[in-house]
């Protein structure tokens, strides 16, 4: 198991989660500071997310935040996990990533998702309905065409400075996202839904079977995403997961994704039966425990999935405890791997 962990790149997704009473600027500044730490620990990538109108998340403009992260770091790859393409025009996204790749050549990842706004009001404000996600595949083709110069939707229109550049694209899988990634010949980012390991394995197999080599990747590349908490004891590791689990449960029962609160406060809550069910669901399938236990569980999931990379998505209220968890994980993984370890996604078949 140890050998597998040390030959698999590990990366970080930070959602710029807010803590109760914390101003949004502090959460964003903490994301940039966290990226510097992730680079020092040796993680391969640092990604930021896109959420709109969510009280518990400060990160609403991922390409802007990615620019700040890239400017504050030196070697770690920086990207989005992801830009939600249905919310944007493909040309504008191409231009934004073209600017990023121009400023930070060879370090930019373009993670793309198909989710739409969290509520009807947010979707209206963004100018898109729930059905906008159905157009993701066509939008993806158009976006990639602006980089290669062969998009046909708008003849004689060119995205500057994107055309000819190659930020690394990834597709975040939701529902049929794995099939879309396979058809487009792009790396896949996927997470088990509700701890459903069988569904995860079926999606990965369908992706590998249906993969068509493209100018972006010559072979399938699978990034498994998930929560990982490492602490001195199993109980301490579980406490790290409690604030995020409660926030998720609250969103399911109240329609609002709130800022994080301390684990002890969550434990003292008199939850309704429905809240407690969702809270337990949010904790299910998460990898947590001492270093030895996490090493075994990570090795098992890497072995089952054949993942090429693991993206860690952990959030918690206590930032010091979160730092400690990521540092402990780094000691187990490719963050301290030898130089011969695999540390990059497949190179594009063609280069600019």
């Amino acid at each position: 198991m140890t050998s597998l962990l040390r030959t698999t790149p590990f990366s970080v997704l930070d959602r710029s989660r807010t803590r109760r009473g914390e101003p949004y600027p502090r959460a964003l500044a903490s994301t940039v500071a966290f990226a510097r730490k992730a680079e020092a620990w040796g993680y391969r990538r640092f990604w930021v997310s896109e959420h709109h109108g969510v009280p518990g998340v400060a990160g609403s403009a991922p390409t802007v935040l990615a620019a700040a992260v890239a400017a504050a770091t030196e070697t770690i790859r920086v990207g989005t996990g992801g830009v939600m393409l249905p919310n944007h025009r493909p040309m504008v996204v191409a231009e934004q990533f073209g600017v990023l790749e121009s400023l930070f050549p060879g370090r930019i990842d373009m993670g793309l998702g198909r989710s739409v706004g969290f509520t009807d009001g947010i979707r209206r404000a963004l100018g898109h309905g729930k059905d906008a996600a159905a157009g993701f595949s066509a939008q993806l083709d158009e976006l990639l065409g602006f980089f290669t110069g062969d998009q046909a939707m708008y003849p004689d229109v060119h995205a500057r400075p994107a055309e000819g550049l190659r930020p690394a694209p990834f597709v975040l899988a939701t529902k049929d996202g794995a099939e879309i990634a396979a058809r487009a010949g792009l790396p896949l980012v996927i997470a088990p839904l509700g701890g459903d390991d069988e569904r995860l394995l079926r999606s990965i197999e369908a992706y590998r079977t249906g993969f068509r080599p493209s100018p972006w990747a010559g072979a399938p590349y699978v990034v498994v995403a998930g929560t990982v908490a490492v602490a001195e004891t199993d109980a301490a590791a579980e406490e790290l997961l409690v604030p995020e689990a409660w926030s998720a449960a609250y969103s399911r029962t109240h329609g609002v994704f709130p800022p994080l609160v301390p684990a002890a406060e969550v434990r003292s809550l008199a939850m309704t039966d429905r809240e407690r069910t969702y809270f337990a669901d949010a904790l299910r399938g998460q990898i947590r425990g001492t270093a030895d236990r996490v090493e075994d569980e990570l090795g098992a999931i890497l072995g089952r999935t054949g993942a090429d990379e693991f993206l860690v998505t952990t959030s918690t209220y206590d930032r010091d405890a979160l730092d400690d968890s990521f540092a402990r994980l780094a000691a187990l993984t490719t963050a301290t791997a030898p130089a011969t370890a695999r540390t990059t996604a497949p190179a594009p078949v063609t280069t600019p």
Side-chain angles (χ1 to χ4, degrees), residues 222-236:
V222 175
V223 182
V224 171
T227 297
V228 182
V230 193
E232 188 172 349
T233 66
D234 289 345

Side-chain angles (χ1 to χ4, degrees), residues 10-92:
F10 276 70
S11 297
V12 179
L13 169 65
D14 186 70
R15 295 188 176 90
S16 300
R17 295 289 274 117
T18 61
R19 280 69 179 167
R20 186 178 57 198
E22 177 183 64
Y24 292 114
R26 182 182 175 190
L28 294 170
S30 294
T31 289
V32 176
F34 187 38
R36 294 193 193 101
K37 296 173 187 176
E39 181 175 68
W41 289 323
Y43 287 94
R44 175 61 182 158
R45 311 175 196 277
F46 190 93
W47 285 3
V48 295
S49 63
E50 176 182 338
H51 295 274
H52 297 283
V54 179
V57 181
S60 57
T63 55
V64 177
L65 185 53
V69 169
T73 54
E74 295 180 1
T75 58
I76 195 168
R77 293 192 64 91
V78 176
T80 56
V83 165
M84 297 302 144
L85 202 49
N87 294 333
H88 310 281
R89 297 297 301 173
M91 182 177 180
V92 174

